[in-house]
Amino acid sequence: EVQLVESGGGLVQPGGSLRLSCAASGFTVSNSYMSWVRQAPGKGLEWVSVIYSGGSTYYADSVKGRFIISRDNSKNTVNLQMNSLRVEDTAVYFCARLNSYAFSGWGQGTLVTVSS
Amino acid sequence: QTVVTQQPSFSVSPGGTITLTCGLSSGSVSTSFYPSWYQQTPGQSPRTLIYNTNTRSSGVPDRFSGSILGSKAALTITGAQADDEADYYCVLYLGSGIWVFGGGTKLTVL
């Protein structure tokens, strides 16, 4: 069974950093396209970043230059390093597996709050 | 900047049929955008309904169907049920490693 479990969320001040992790089971992240999607409180879903099986990475304009997606093959995890955080980055961050260009499996999400 | 458009809200009567749409601020949606659809109820993670325009995800009832209608992707719910009340999101793959979600449609069943 495919399972994704996010962790690492919390409260951080503007300008600070946070590292999210997504632990996968039931499949191998290094063979998959993995993505992060976020949802601000009361708002819609927003695609954030993707890492391809070949290692290529892509970002939404709203986070480009501040966030870095990576994976740890030994732990079967995908990570999101978030730097220079802004109040508008406050959201629940979901990890998702991509299949046929669609988000085929979702974690439960982890809440990131950026506030002073 | 490309914007993916969805109706903000919609109402349907139990047993009724409804079609939600997903368009582009400029241009038409085609299968090349690999449109997919997601259902989300409050406090829950999204659930994948449709991918690759019209393929139902595992376990999704066949009263959910996807298509291209004119210049937009469409999600049709036939025989709406009370537990279909939710937010529905489409997402399009724009190419070059970029995905964009629509703003979502809040569906009320009453």
Side-chain angles (χ1 to χ4, degrees):
Chain A
E1 179 191 2
V2 170
Q3 192 172 11
L4 297 168
V5 178
E6 301 93 337
S7 61
L11 175 64
V12 62
Q13 291 187 338
S17 298
L18 209 57
R19 183 178 176 86
L20 305 183
S21 186
C22 170
S25 57
F27 70 100
T28 303
V29 297
S30 61
N31 294 335
S32 303
Y33 288 12
M34 299 296 298
S35 194
W36 288 93
V37 175
R38 68 184 181 183
Q39 186 169 37
K43 302 297 184 181
L45 299 170
E46 179 187 15
W47 175 76
V48 173
S49 182
V50 65
I51 182 167
Y52 285 177
S53 53
S56 298
T57 59
Y58 301 92
Y59 302 90
D61 286 345
S62 57
V63 307
K64 196 176 297 181
R66 300 188 298 123
F67 290 12
I68 300 172
I69 190 172
S70 64
R71 64 182 180 225
D72 185 332
N73 296 340
S74 66
K75 296 181 179 178
N76 209 35
T77 60
V78 178
N79 304 306
L80 187 68
Q81 177 67 40
M82 304 186 296
N83 302 320
S84 302
L85 282 162
R86 305 167 180 169
V87 171
E88 55 265 35
D89 294 320
T90 294
V92 174
Y93 284 72
F94 296 99
C95 173
R97 183 188 188 192
L98 280 158
N99 185 28
S100 297
Y101 298 94
F103 304 94
S104 64
W106 298 77
Q108 84 290 348
T110 186
L111 176 62
V112 172
T113 303
V114 185
S115 175
S116 54
Chain B
Q1 183 170 348
T2 301
V3 175
V4 175
T5 60
Q6 294 185 247
Q7 305 107 318
S9 62
F10 232 121
S11 290
V12 63
S13 300
T17 295
I18 189 168
T19 297
L20 309 182
T21 62
C22 176
L24 279 170
S25 53
S26 59
S28 299
V29 177
S30 69
T31 57
S32 301
F33 289 90
Y34 301 93
S36 53
W37 293 88
Y38 306 84
Q39 178 193 61
Q40 188 182 36
T41 52
Q44 299 297 310
S45 300
R47 171 196 182 196
T48 307
L49 297 175
I50 300 287
Y51 64 94
N52 201 12
T53 305
N54 55 16
T55 303
R56 271 184 298 276
S57 191
S58 177
V60 174
D62 59 7
R63 54 199 183 78
F64 291 90
S65 62
S67 64
I68 299 291
L69 285 181
S71 62
K72 298 181 179 182
L75 173 71
T76 299
I77 307 173
T78 305
Q81 301 179 359
D83 60 5
D84 294 335
E85 188 161 293
D87 294 325
Y88 291 83
Y89 295 92
C90 70
V91 66
L92 302 178
Y93 176 62
L94 301 189
S96 301
I98 303 298
W99 280 260
V100 178
F101 279 90
T105 297
K106 184 177 183 63
L107 180 65
T108 301
V109 180
L110 48 72

